[in-house]
Structures are given as structure tokens and as C-alpha cells.
């Protein structure tokens, strides 16, 4: 897969380091050259870039997505001056941290409520088919901003997304307490 990772914190950097050997192409998009992660991780990321195993796309931020029939084909990124670049991609992994600023996502046509993305439960779907939101950025009646809620929302969104990503495949759901430990 051609993967775009967006963000500059520990999660984005750790995923980039972990996935670099498994991807056809891996881009790391960040708005500035400084990363908010462990110094050792930043050094590993730079070494991967220098060796050509990943490509750091800096200073850019997410602008828009391209694709057809529910499949991503490119992630469009732009500089603060508006210079755009198209990154061929099958997968986008956005890792944006605690600042609840939507940036370019605010222009995606999603229903917003005070800088939060309105979702419908139980599937966490937004007003745009195939786009889900979870965690602190998502809002719905009775929302509790707890990490525990975010984990549950992630499971709900992943379950709903499965029907879109693999419409011909039945998802057999198991309780985590009854699935047991995998045999070696």
C-alpha cells in the first residue's frame, strides 16, 4: 500500500517507523520540520527519510482527498502559502493531537457544531458517507469526553467501516472475553 501519515507527534512518528518496511511508499506529512516526539524517534524518522525508506513532506498539511468508488487514490497536501502537491495513496492515517483545530477538514462539508464534528451513533458516521469521527473531535448528544469513550467509539466506527471497505465479507464479531488466547 501507499500510505500517508499526517501529524508530528509520538503516534505519527511511531507508526511511520513501524510501517516503513511494510509499505510500497510511505509519506509523513507535517506542517513544520520539528516533531513533538521522543528525540530518539525523531532521529530514527530522519534516518529513514535520509535512506529513502520514507518521504517526509514538510512543511505541508492535509488539503483534500481524491478517489472514486469509495477508494482513496491520492492525498492532496498544501503549504501555508497554498502550494499544493498530490501524494498517490491507498491509505491515510491522520494523527492529530490534543489541539482541536480542524484545519482543512473544516472545509470538507461535514456537519460541525462549535468546531466539533457531529456524528450519528452508534456508528460514528459523519454527514459524509464513508467518513467517521471519534474521540474528542466528535460530538453527539450525551457525549462524554473520556478515553474510554474514545476506545468504544473507535470500535463502533471500525465495525461500521468494515461494511464499506469489505461489503461482500461478513464480519463475525466476538466478545473479547470469549475469543480466548491465540494458540502458538
Amino acid at each position: 500500500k501507499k500510505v500517508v501519515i499526517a501529524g508530528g507527534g509520538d503516534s505519527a512518528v511511531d507508526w511511520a517507523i513501524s510501517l516503513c518496511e511494510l509499505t510500497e511508499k510511505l509519506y509523513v506529512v507535517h506542517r513544520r520540520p520539528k516533531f513533538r516526539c521522543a528525540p530518539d524517534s525523531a532521529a530514527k524518522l530522519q534516518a529513514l527519510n535520509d535512506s529513502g525508506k520514507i518521504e517526509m513532506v514538510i512543511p505541508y498539511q492535509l488539503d483534500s482527498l481524491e478517489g472514486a468508488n469509495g477508494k482513496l487514490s491520492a492525498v492532496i497536501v498544501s503549504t501555508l502559502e497554498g502550494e499544493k502537491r498530490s501524494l498517490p495513496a491507498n491509505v491515510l492515517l491522520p494523527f492529530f493531537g490534543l489541539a482541536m483545530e480542524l484545519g482543512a477538514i473544516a472545509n470538507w462539508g461535514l456537519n460541525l457544531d462549535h468546531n466539533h464534528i457531529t456524528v450519528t451513533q452508534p456508528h460514528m458516521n459523519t454527514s459524509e458517507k464513508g467518513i467517521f469521527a471519534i474521540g474528542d473531535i466528535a460530538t453527539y448528544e450525551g457525549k462524554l469526553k473520556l478515553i474510554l469513550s474514545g476506545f468504544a467509539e473507535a470500535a463502533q466506527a471500525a465495525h461500521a467501516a468494515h461494511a464499506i471497505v469489505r461489503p461482500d465479507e461478513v464480519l463475525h464479531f466476538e466478545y473479547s472475553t470469549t475469543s480466548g488466547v491465540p494458540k502458538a
Side-chain angles (χ1 to χ4, degrees), residues 73-88:
S73 61
V75 174
I76 310 304
V77 295
S78 65
T79 64
L80 293 176
E81 293 78 31
E83 178 185 329
K84 294 188 180 188
R85 179 175 172 197
S86 177
L87 307 175

Side-chain angles (χ1 to χ4, degrees), residues 81-105:
E81 293 78 31
E83 178 185 329
K84 294 188 180 188
R85 179 175 172 197
S86 177
L87 307 175
N90 309 104
V91 176
L92 168 63
L93 299 174
F95 291 99
F96 298 118
L98 300 176
M100 293 192 358
E101 297 176 23
L102 293 172
I105 294 172

Side-chain angles (χ1 to χ4, degrees), residues 2-6 16 23 25-29 54-57 85-89:
K2 296 177 191 115
V3 177
V4 174
I5 293 178
T23 59
K25 179 72 177 176
L26 182 93
Y27 301 94
V28 176
V29 177
I54 67 166
E55 182 179 338
M56 293 198 302
V57 183
R85 179 175 172 197
S86 177
L87 307 175

Side-chain angles (χ1 to χ4, degrees), residues 30-175:
H30 191 42
R31 66 182 184 273
R32 60 179 177 230
K34 184 174 176 161
F35 288 81
R36 296 173 321 279
C37 63
D40 183 58
S41 295
K44 286 179 185 174
L45 189 71
Q46 186 62 53
L48 290 169
N49 182 71
D50 294 346
S51 70
K53 291 188 177 184
I54 67 166
E55 182 179 338
M56 293 198 302
V57 183
I58 300 170
Y60 283 85
Q61 59 189 358
L62 297 182
D63 182 273
S64 58
L65 303 174
E66 290 181 352
N69 300 319
K71 294 187 187 235
L72 180 67
S73 61
V75 174
I76 310 304
V77 295
S78 65
T79 64
L80 293 176
E81 293 78 31
E83 178 185 329
K84 294 188 180 188
R85 179 175 172 197
S86 177
L87 307 175
N90 309 104
V91 176
L92 168 63
L93 299 174
F95 291 99
F96 298 118
L98 300 176
M100 293 192 358
E101 297 176 23
L102 293 172
I105 294 172
N107 300 320
W108 287 10
L110 303 175
N111 287 344
L112 302 178
D113 180 14
H114 297 92
N115 212 33
H116 291 80
I117 299 171
T118 304
V119 298
T120 304
Q121 285 190 295
H123 305 297
M124 308 310 294
N125 49 305
T126 67
S127 56
E128 291 292 321
K129 184 178 179 178
I131 299 178
F132 301 85
I134 64 166
D136 289 346
I137 201 67
T139 189
Y140 51 86
E141 187 176 343
K143 168 78 175 191
L144 296 175
K145 287 192 176 188
L146 300 170
I147 191 72
L148 179 63
S149 299
F151 285 127
E153 292 166 0
Q156 291 169 307
H159 193 267
H162 183 272
I164 295 170
V165 176
R166 299 189 178 190
D168 299 328
E169 183 179 300
V170 176
L171 178 61
H172 296 286
F173 182 77
E174 291 186 29
Y175 295 102

